[in-house]
Amino acid sequence: MYGGFVIQGYGESYEESIERNKLTSVRVGKITSVLTSSKPSILPFKGNLPLINEDSLDNYMEEYQRYLYFDDVPDFLQEIVFKAEQVVFYNYKFLEFLSDKKISEKSFEELEPSKKLMILNDFLDYEHAEISILELK
Amino acid sequence: MNFNISLMDLQKALRIINDAVVQGNLDDNSLEKANTTYKDSIGFEPSLDYNILKSQSLNDKLRGVEFNQDLMKALMEGETKIGSDGKKYILVRVPSGKLDWRIFKDKTNKPDDKLNSVFENDDFPASSKDFKILNTSIGGSTGAKMVEDKNGKKFIMKKGASKGHVEEEFLTNAIYKTAGFDTPEMKIYHEGNDTFILSEFIANTKPFDSLIGKDVLAMDAAAEGFAMDCLMANWDAYKNDNILVDQNGIPIRVDNGGSLRYRAQGGLKTNFSSNVDELTSMITQNQWISKHLTQDKINSQISDILAKEKEILDLVDDPILKSILKARMVYMKNRLPVDNTKKPAKKVSNKKMYRELTEDELQVCYDNVNGKLHSIGANGWEFLSQICKLRGFDAVPEVLDDTEFNKVLADPNSIYVNRGIADGGGVPALKFMKDFAENPDCFYGSVGIHGAGIYAGVNVAKQNTRKDHGYDTALAYAYGNPQHILDIVIPKEAKVTTKKKIKEMMDEEFFGPEFKNKKKEFDKTEKEYLQLQTDLSNEKKKIEDDTKNNLGWNQKALDYLIYDRPEIALADTSKNSVPVVINTIERLIYDLNGDFNQVDDKTYEIKMPNSSSKFLFNVDDLDNALKQKNENSPVYNFRIQRLKNFIIDQHYNKIKNVIDDKVADALKNSSSLKQITKDIDSKKKDLDIIQSEVSKMKKGGGTPSNKIVGHILKQGSAEMYGIYAAIRGYDVMIAEGGNDDGCDYAIILNRGITKVKKF
């Protein structure tokens, strides 16, 4: 119906991404790397993870392949993509945020939980976002 | 989860980090940073007494005198200070509970060392103790100062507007130097909270801006760095005395503080992205330069930069900055005409091409991408590109005229594929087509759901007709332009496999034949399960489509609201006059069968067809309604945003709610839907049982033929199929499964074996 985030491909402008993302293989191709991970991001996303079991990945990919245009993909498969896009979108935003603060991904990972929480809180403030962005529903 | 952090929590966090540092689990930089964060969080400004206490306690420590612990309690863990011996110290709480100063172990020196080593700075002062500031302010956007060391050697000291700013300027200089452009020799220093650069003072120079229009040779010389200045987004490169020209006419880029992500005055740019728009904007803003540049010269400069790509990127530690710089290089590369003079990869013998790759060879490829199998660079998937180069798969294909092409195509064992290409990133599709056919550097793609590689639709009919799914898919990728489709034939001698076979090979290689068979059973059951889910989805879709038709769902208008983002597109009322904005909104509401009524000369009342709620829109409110989430996000008009939310909520969400109700009702009452749901539950149970058997068999661990292949097999991501196929020496992998609208894809790994129809 509607949902998801506009994930921009390598060197793509926002407008080009919208156009290209109409093709299923393009849209799905941009999020495959997070589909089978139980920790797809350094952000603590909550929900049923991994989004697709590692053993099931190919079967799902073959399902996606049946549809040239993403609009035609059955809703239960679209929803997986929306969630993955949520992960990719906010993960990228968060990495950008850390980068601006000169904090590497590795040093963030190594921080004590309360410090991580403080940084996460700053990020949500910066993005004017609610904690619910981390819930994959 | 509660995110309100109390003062106690913060103190506790600081103490925990202190303990981790004392136990050696965290470095001193973490404690120093935690101290700064803590102070910022509580708004702590150190008083004079506090600073005196810090100095006295450290001085006593250095003199071997025990300082009064009761007084020291006022200090916080993680304080740092340069001692009288020029060394940096940090205050830690030792296990006994006492606060104690000790030498700061700076782990972040590593990146500095890397960058410092770019310059000849061995004779630079060791610390700020070793130079004095002369009373000479030499200007610059952020107040550079002249300093002098003990030997009378002069330097320029720059602190920038912030730590980040000065660090990025230092990195910029290191990149310029590495790329072969002159900058002063320099060194970066971190002393407590102070970060600064010392840069050698170069006498007898002239500011470049004073030579513009006067000294042709100097202008020529400065223009030689144009592409580099664009890459670095060094917007002010040619302004003021940011370039100094020495007595030999050599331009020295001395002030590069407005490069990469920062502006000259230290603010962050909002438009530093993968697009190097500077290639045009910097010409517009520096009109003199167009007389000193030709497109050939720019292309040659870009080629020179690309030749140093690895050395440049190796200097950058920040992953985001690195990825942007990398993308900027790709952007520039895409602007280069295909270099026909560059030697294409040599055709290698079949024996060499299809040999078994050794563990050492794979290790080199692996190391070249720092173990990141998914990473994407100028040649697309980098690891795949490495493997393919190793095999000689990156050779340019043969381009055949119609007659010759058709001969190869006529062979029943050849495979015909179409690759649809669209303009992208400002680069015309034709350029991408030429890249495939002629560019010695093969681009291996960056997006794909079946495996890394170059995708093309399999044209089963061997005719360019829309009835063929492969051609139709390529046409969709080419945005409907048949001229933007590459016709490619894979000759019969190519080693072609299928994704299914590759998958089985991977399963067998890692987990053995028994697992392979169990996995087959799992796949069969899961496909049946997914088919049932699809059936259910199709049934729901019928209800959805009927409801949408009845209640006036307009997808085009929704796409406009979501993707064209009117709150951003119409935000600037200086570009979009109020009548234009009102007219756009009015058309949108009419398209949705809503009501758009003028209440008075300034106010409009908006109603959606399936809702009784009203939205009052006052044109005066359009002014002063601009907002920006943060400095990197676009400006939007929050009044238009509210109207957009109203439309989505009162129109689309209302329809969505009706659909949800109808679907819930059908699931409860329709016998066919009840049966599908029941079948899904039953199939899920079967699937879960087989799934647990598959998992059990996997738990025993695999036995890959070598370490790198093992790493690939463990990845569990789709891209790995293409990589594995290339490692095993396949030219092309076919991902079958196209039916309905989709097609089978050919994932090309060996470009050199394909034949391309002349275009």
Side-chain angles (χ1 to χ4, degrees):
Chain A
M1 211 174 275
Y2 53 88
F5 292 82
V6 178
I7 305 298
Q8 284 174 251
Y10 203 65
E12 267 177 15
S13 68
Y14 176 81
E15 290 74 20
E16 283 164 358
S17 299
I18 289 166
E19 206 49 43
R20 284 174 59 76
N21 286 358
K22 288 179 182 166
L23 296 162
T24 311
S25 53
V26 170
R27 188 154 177 180
V28 178
K30 288 176 180 175
I31 49 91
T32 46
S33 57
V34 302
L35 287 174
T36 54
S37 173
S38 49
K39 194 180 177 299
S41 160
I42 51 169
L43 283 168
F45 281 100
K46 298 232 179 307
N48 210 358
L49 289 166
L51 293 166
I52 298 177
N53 185 301
E54 190 183 307
D55 297 318
S56 304
L57 182 67
D58 295 310
N59 298 327
Y60 278 76
M61 286 300 147
E62 280 166 26
E63 282 302 304
Y64 286 114
Q65 189 183 1
R66 291 170 63 179
Y67 307 93
L68 179 55
Y69 293 105
F70 188 76
D71 275 351
D72 299 330
V73 171
D75 57 354
F76 76 100
L77 292 173
Q78 283 197 356
E79 276 157 23
I80 295 170
V81 176
F82 296 156
K83 287 176 191 171
E85 285 177 341
Q86 191 178 335
V87 171
V88 171
F89 182 83
Y90 282 112
N91 190 54
Y92 185 78
K93 288 253 168 202
F94 187 56
L95 288 178
E96 251 185 354
F97 175 79
L98 289 181
S99 168
D100 285 346
K101 300 235 167 278
K102 303 273 169 198
I103 302 171
S104 73
E105 193 177 337
K106 192 168 171 273
S107 57
F108 175 79
E109 291 276 36
E110 286 167 357
L111 285 176
E112 199 263 330
S114 60
K115 181 77 189 350
K116 277 187 183 173
L117 210 60
M118 277 164 60
I119 293 173
L120 183 57
N121 211 18
D122 285 350
F123 169 67
L124 294 173
D125 277 352
Y126 179 78
E127 283 294 320
H128 293 221
E130 299 290 328
I131 188 69
S132 58
I133 63 162
L134 300 180
E135 285 164 23
L136 301 174
K137 295 192 278 198
Chain B
M1 199 179 288
N2 181 10
F3 278 91
N4 292 322
I5 312 265
S6 71
L7 188 59
M8 285 295 283
D9 289 335
L10 289 170
Q11 278 177 339
K12 210 173 155 189
L14 186 63
R15 185 67 59 85
I16 290 168
I17 291 169
N18 172 85
D19 293 348
V21 168
V22 172
Q23 286 160 18
N25 297 329
L26 273 178
D27 57 50
D28 289 356
N29 299 86
S30 306
L31 181 56
E32 186 184 29
K33 203 173 251 182
N35 171 286
T36 312
T37 310
Y38 176 61
K39 286 195 287 199
D40 286 349
S41 306
I42 61 171
F44 178 81
E45 287 288 339
S47 63
L48 185 61
D49 285 349
Y50 189 89
N51 284 333
I52 290 172
L53 190 60
K54 250 174 90 173
S55 302
Q56 278 185 348
S57 58
L58 178 58
N59 285 342
D60 280 6
K61 163 83 182 180
L62 295 180
R63 286 190 296 121
V65 177
E66 178 81 16
F67 195 78
N68 185 336
Q69 270 295 320
D70 284 339
L71 289 175
M72 275 191 72
K73 273 180 192 166
L75 298 175
M76 295 170 206
E77 299 97 327
E79 289 292 350
T80 55
K81 191 157 179 60
I82 304 295
S84 53
D85 55 359
K87 290 175 187 156
K88 183 176 175 181
Y89 287 81
I90 186 165
L91 189 66
V92 294
R93 189 175 296 279
V94 294
S96 67
K98 279 185 179 180
L99 282 162
D100 195 16
W101 288 100
R102 67 159 166 74
I103 288 180
F104 188 93
K105 293 171 209 152
D106 193 353
K107 281 197 178 170
T108 59
N109 269 344
K110 276 193 176 165
D112 285 353
D113 290 348
K114 183 168 67 183
L115 297 182
N116 272 327
S117 69
V118 170
F119 301 97
E120 287 171 24
N121 53 17
D122 291 347
D123 59 344
F124 273 47
S127 76
S128 57
K129 287 268 163 200
D130 300 322
F131 62 79
K132 62 178 178 191
I133 296 172
L134 301 176
N135 285 332
T136 320
S137 174
I138 53 126
S141 317
T142 51
K145 287 185 169 60
M146 178 90 79
V147 304
E148 189 179 70
D149 73 2
K150 287 167 185 167
N151 303 317
K153 190 173 174 185
K154 291 187 174 63
F155 301 89
I156 308 298
M157 182 169 79
K158 290 188 78 176
K159 291 190 171 187
S162 64
K163 186 170 179 275
H165 184 210
V166 74
E167 283 176 350
E168 199 122 319
E169 179 170 359
F170 189 62
L171 171 66
T172 303
N173 287 310
I175 293 176
Y176 267 115
K177 187 120 198 278
T178 302
F181 294 90
D182 284 290
T183 68
E185 302 303 339
M186 57 183 67
K187 187 174 176 180
I188 193 164
Y189 299 77
H190 292 286
E191 295 185 352
N193 292 328
D194 214 10
T195 300
F196 60 89
I197 297 172
L198 283 194
S199 160
E200 68 169 336
F201 172 68
I202 305 168
N204 300 321
T205 54
K206 288 178 185 166
F208 175 70
D209 72 335
S210 69
L211 302 175
I212 295 175
K214 295 173 194 161
D215 186 337
V216 176
L217 290 178
M219 290 156 81
D220 273 346
E224 279 172 21
F226 173 75
M228 190 65 195
D229 294 328
C230 292
L231 173 72
M232 303 306 287
N234 191 354
W235 294 350
D236 297 336
Y238 314 114
K239 295 201 167 65
N240 311 320
D241 53 359
N242 293 342
I243 294 179
L244 294 176
V245 179
D246 74 5
Q247 286 174 316
N248 300 316
I250 295 170
I252 305 164
R253 283 165 170 77
V254 295
D255 189 348
N256 302 307
S259 301
L260 299 175
R261 292 173 293 194
Y262 285 87
R263 292 176 183 278
Q265 305 231 342
L268 282 167
K269 292 171 185 163
T270 53
N271 52 349
F272 180 67
S273 70
S274 55
N275 288 6
V276 191
D277 297 331
E278 286 80 1
L279 285 166
T280 46
S281 67
M282 281 182 67
I283 292 180
T284 315
Q285 283 155 25
N286 302 281
Q287 297 210 349
W288 61 270
I289 208 165
S290 57
K291 291 180 189 157
H292 299 263
L293 283 172
T294 60
Q295 192 55 49
D296 282 350
K297 278 186 186 171
I298 296 174
N299 292 344
S300 156
Q301 290 175 10
I302 292 174
S303 299
D304 290 346
I305 293 170
L306 295 174
K308 300 234 170 177
E309 180 182 357
K310 190 173 183 306
E311 288 151 274
I312 291 172
L313 293 175
D314 279 351
L315 294 171
V316 188
D317 283 325
D318 184 321
I320 297 281
L321 181 58
K322 191 179 222 163
S323 72
I324 297 175
L325 253 189
K326 217 169 168 183
R328 287 172 76 82
M329 288 189 189
V330 173
Y331 181 97
M332 290 173 106
K333 184 185 167 194
N334 281 335
R335 262 148 191 76
L336 289 179
V338 172
D339 181 5
N340 292 315
T341 60
K342 198 172 163 186
K343 255 190 166 171
K346 266 190 190 166
K347 293 264 182 196
V348 299
S349 67
N350 277 1
K351 197 179 164 196
K352 194 179 171 204
M353 190 173 271
Y354 300 114
R355 73 195 187 278
E356 193 168 324
L357 299 178
T358 66
E359 186 145 352
D360 284 348
E361 284 178 312
L362 288 174
Q363 186 68 47
V364 171
C365 297
Y366 186 79
D367 292 343
N368 283 343
V369 297
N370 299 319
K372 290 179 179 165
L373 300 177
H374 295 99
S375 95
I376 289 164
N379 292 328
W381 276 296
E382 288 183 309
F383 186 64
L384 176 68
S385 166
Q386 296 272 332
I387 303 284
C388 292
K389 263 190 192 153
L390 203 59
R391 288 202 174 282
F393 277 6
D394 57 335
V396 289
E398 213 177 333
V399 179
L400 303 176
D401 62 24
D402 284 11
T403 320
E404 289 301 312
F405 186 83
N406 288 337
K407 271 187 204 165
V408 187
L409 190 64
D411 187 320
N413 292 318
S414 67
I415 300 170
Y416 183 40
V417 300
N418 302 116
R419 179 165 163 81
I421 295 168
D423 300 342
V427 181
L430 201 65
K431 166 75 170 58
F432 290 128
M433 291 167 73
K434 280 197 165 189
D435 278 347
F436 182 86
E438 301 171 19
N439 197 333
D441 277 333
C442 183
F443 184 77
Y444 273 93
S446 57
V447 171
I449 63 174
H450 298 291
I454 307 165
Y455 278 62
V458 177
N459 187 324
V460 181
K462 288 198 171 180
Q463 281 177 1
N464 287 0
T465 159
R466 288 205 62 183
K467 283 181 189 160
D468 184 90
H469 288 324
Y471 181 79
D472 198 32
T473 300
L475 196 61
Y477 272 85
Y479 296 164
N481 186 345
Q483 305 298 319
H484 291 168
I485 294 178
L486 270 175
D487 294 334
I488 302 167
V489 66
I490 298 160
K492 66 173 179 187
E493 60 269 24
K495 275 183 76 181
V496 179
T497 185
T498 62
K499 183 183 158 194
K500 197 176 162 202
K501 279 185 195 151
I502 287 293
K503 197 172 127 184
E504 285 176 10
M505 280 171 73
M506 288 170 81
D507 283 345
E508 187 163 354
E509 177 165 351
F510 203 46
F511 297 112
E514 207 186 325
F515 174 82
K516 187 180 87 173
N517 292 333
K518 181 55 74 182
K519 184 71 177 26
K520 266 187 179 174
E521 188 189 341
F522 171 79
D523 289 343
K524 184 175 169 284
T525 313
E526 186 161 62
K527 277 181 185 160
E528 288 163 1
Y529 168 75
L530 289 171
Q531 186 54 54
L532 285 167
Q533 288 275 22
T534 303
D535 292 345
L536 177 65
S537 182
N538 288 340
E539 290 300 320
K540 289 199 272 187
K541 185 117 193 353
K542 279 182 206 157
I543 300 170
E544 185 184 317
D545 289 346
D546 281 350
T547 315
K548 281 179 173 178
N549 279 338
N550 293 336
L551 297 178
W553 181 283
N554 182 327
Q555 188 61 41
K556 213 172 154 192
L558 181 61
D559 286 346
Y560 169 75
L561 289 169
I562 291 182
Y563 298 124
D564 292 354
R565 299 182 294 186
E567 71 279 15
I568 295 169
L570 301 174
D572 189 349
T573 44
S574 66
K575 284 182 194 155
N576 303 288
S577 63
V578 171
V580 169
V581 175
I582 296 300
N583 189 260
T584 309
I585 294 168
E586 188 177 6
R587 270 190 290 126
L588 178 70
I589 302 299
Y590 283 155
D591 282 349
L592 293 168
N593 294 324
D595 294 330
F596 186 87
N597 298 317
Q598 190 155 12
V599 177
D600 56 42
D601 59 339
K602 296 267 167 91
T603 315
Y604 297 85
E605 184 187 86
I606 296 165
K607 268 184 71 188
M608 304 316 294
N610 307 308
S611 163
S612 55
S613 298
K614 292 171 188 169
F615 188 91
L616 288 177
F617 192 82
N618 188 309
V619 291
D620 285 345
D621 290 345
L622 279 174
D623 295 330
N624 306 318
L626 296 186
K627 280 192 173 182
Q628 195 175 14
K629 270 189 179 180
N630 56 57
E631 57 193 354
N632 293 321
S633 58
V635 173
Y636 68 99
N637 188 310
F638 79 88
R639 301 279 178 196
I640 301 177
Q641 166 97 54
R642 279 184 192 169
L643 173 60
K644 168 178 161 171
N645 292 344
F646 171 80
I647 298 170
I648 291 178
D649 204 42
Q650 295 302 317
H651 187 63
Y652 290 100
N653 285 347
K654 289 261 178 204
I655 300 176
K656 196 172 172 287
N657 289 341
V658 175
I659 294 168
D660 288 346
D661 289 347
K662 286 191 174 183
V663 167
D665 189 50
L667 285 170
K668 217 165 142 191
N669 300 316
S670 153
S671 55
S672 63
L673 283 188
K674 277 203 284 193
Q675 185 57 47
I676 297 177
T677 314
K678 206 175 149 192
D679 292 345
I680 287 175
D681 289 345
S682 155
K683 193 60 77 182
K684 183 77 172 73
K685 276 178 194 154
D686 296 345
L687 190 63
D688 287 346
I689 292 168
I690 309 172
Q691 166 79 67
S692 75
E693 288 168 357
V694 166
S695 299
K696 254 186 219 162
M697 290 172 87
K698 276 176 97 174
K699 262 190 187 162
T703 49
S705 56
N706 71 48
K707 203 174 75 186
I708 309 293
V709 172
H711 187 46
I712 290 165
L713 295 172
K714 268 191 220 165
Q715 290 289 305
S717 83
E719 288 109 316
M720 294 305 126
Y721 295 120
I723 290 170
Y724 183 83
I727 288 177
R728 293 290 167 240
Y730 288 101
D731 297 315
V732 176
M733 178 174 77
I734 305 284
E736 296 162 317
N739 50 26
D740 304 337
D741 289 334
C743 71
D744 290 357
Y745 287 102
I747 297 150
I748 299 168
L749 305 163
N750 184 355
R751 178 181 65 160
I753 205 163
T754 65
K755 318 280 177 198
V756 178
K757 190 173 174 179
K758 201 171 176 184
F759 51 91

